Amino acid sequence: MITLFSGEFLLVPEALDVSHNWCSHNCGYCFANLNKPDRRIDPQKLFNQITNFRSQKNEVAIMLQNNMVVTASNKTDPFAKTNNQISLPMFELFEDNKIKYSLQTRGGNGIGKFLNDICVGQKVFYISITHSEDTTRKKTEIGAPSIESRWELVDELIRLNHKVIIAYNPFWHEWIDINKELENIIKR
């Protein structure tokens, strides 16, 4: 369901968040999966919420009626294997209903289909870079896309004229070589 972005409500530009099932990226430090291995979304309720927001009278509907942006997704990755089957039709409904949205992702399943077949116009992508080397990433983000594939995604998004925010999140000095990361950003 689309909910208030309550963790950082009014501290981030997006006031709404939509997150789905547990995240198969399986990041060992992730607040979204810890103690919530059974996280599930009801796709029908979500799709009804999206298609009927203009006739509803609740805080989320009112925000959508006033063109507030939805972040997809703060609590799970929309392109994780456990979520892309819901995310892709959701993004189609967002486009059909002219709902503004941004994306937080590490990349993964279905992002190519999203970029080629669904995405209309320029979007803002928040790409998590958590490690400088994939050897350490594999230990903490067992099912997540490689660091190299994330940088390839960044390059593709820039080529397609999307806005990209590189998020060193979480930033842990033993995982990230700041000099290498500055070089990665400068060359783009």
Side-chain angles (χ1 to χ4, degrees):
M1 296 296 290
I2 301 172
T3 60
L4 297 177
F5 201 161
S6 56
E8 300 175 37
F9 187 54
L10 299 179
L11 297 177
V12 293
E14 296 87 5
L16 300 168
D17 168 62
V18 62
S19 295
H20 302 105
N21 300 322
W22 65 280
C23 186
S24 57
H25 287 346
N26 205 19
C27 303
Y29 53 81
C30 184
F31 68 92
N33 277 358
L34 295 175
N35 301 319
K36 297 187 183 211
D38 57 348
R39 176 192 296 273
R40 295 281 183 267
I41 189 169
D42 182 332
Q44 192 58 53
K45 283 184 180 178
L46 172 64
F47 298 159
N48 286 338
Q49 183 185 34
I50 294 167
T51 56
N52 297 314
F53 76 90
R54 287 181 186 86
S55 62
Q56 296 171 352
K57 304 244 186 264
N58 59 59
E59 66 276 359
V60 170
I62 291 167
M63 288 182 163
L64 290 172
Q65 292 163 12
N66 286 284
N67 295 316
M68 291 292 195
V69 177
V70 178
T71 298
S73 142
N74 180 48
K75 299 180 189 96
T76 60
D77 196 302
F79 300 106
K81 291 177 187 174
T82 48
N83 291 307
N84 71 309
Q85 304 89 347
I86 297 166
S87 297
L88 295 175
M90 178 197 70
F91 289 131
E92 289 176 348
L93 288 174
F94 280 177
E95 295 290 352
D96 292 347
N97 288 279
K98 307 216 179 328
I99 294 174
K100 296 177 184 176
Y101 61 97
S102 67
L103 298 95
Q104 290 189 14
T105 186
R106 287 172 167 74
N109 294 38
I111 195 157
K113 179 171 179 46
F114 169 76
L115 291 171
N116 294 326
D117 301 339
I118 299 170
C119 183
V120 176
Q122 187 183 60
K123 302 290 184 241
V124 175
F125 286 81
Y126 176 107
I127 306 296
S128 295
I129 304 290
T130 53
H131 296 75
S132 294
E133 302 296 330
D134 217 46
T135 52
T136 58
R137 192 269 320 154
K138 288 178 184 178
K139 294 176 184 176
T140 58
E141 300 176 351
I142 297 164
S146 70
I147 300 303
E148 180 182 337
S149 71
R150 294 180 210 185
W151 283 111
E152 289 169 359
L153 175 59
V154 167
D155 292 338
E156 178 68 3
L157 295 170
I158 291 170
R159 187 187 71 73
L160 294 171
N161 203 34
H162 293 289
K163 294 185 183 231
V164 178
I165 298 168
I166 303 298
Y168 293 103
N169 181 17
F171 183 85
W172 188 253
H173 66 280
E174 293 178 8
W175 295 350
I176 294 178
D177 175 345
I178 195 64
N179 292 321
K180 181 177 182 176
E181 297 312 313
L182 288 172
E183 286 176 24
N184 277 332
I185 293 198
I186 290 169
K187 73 180 180 184
R188 286 167 169 81

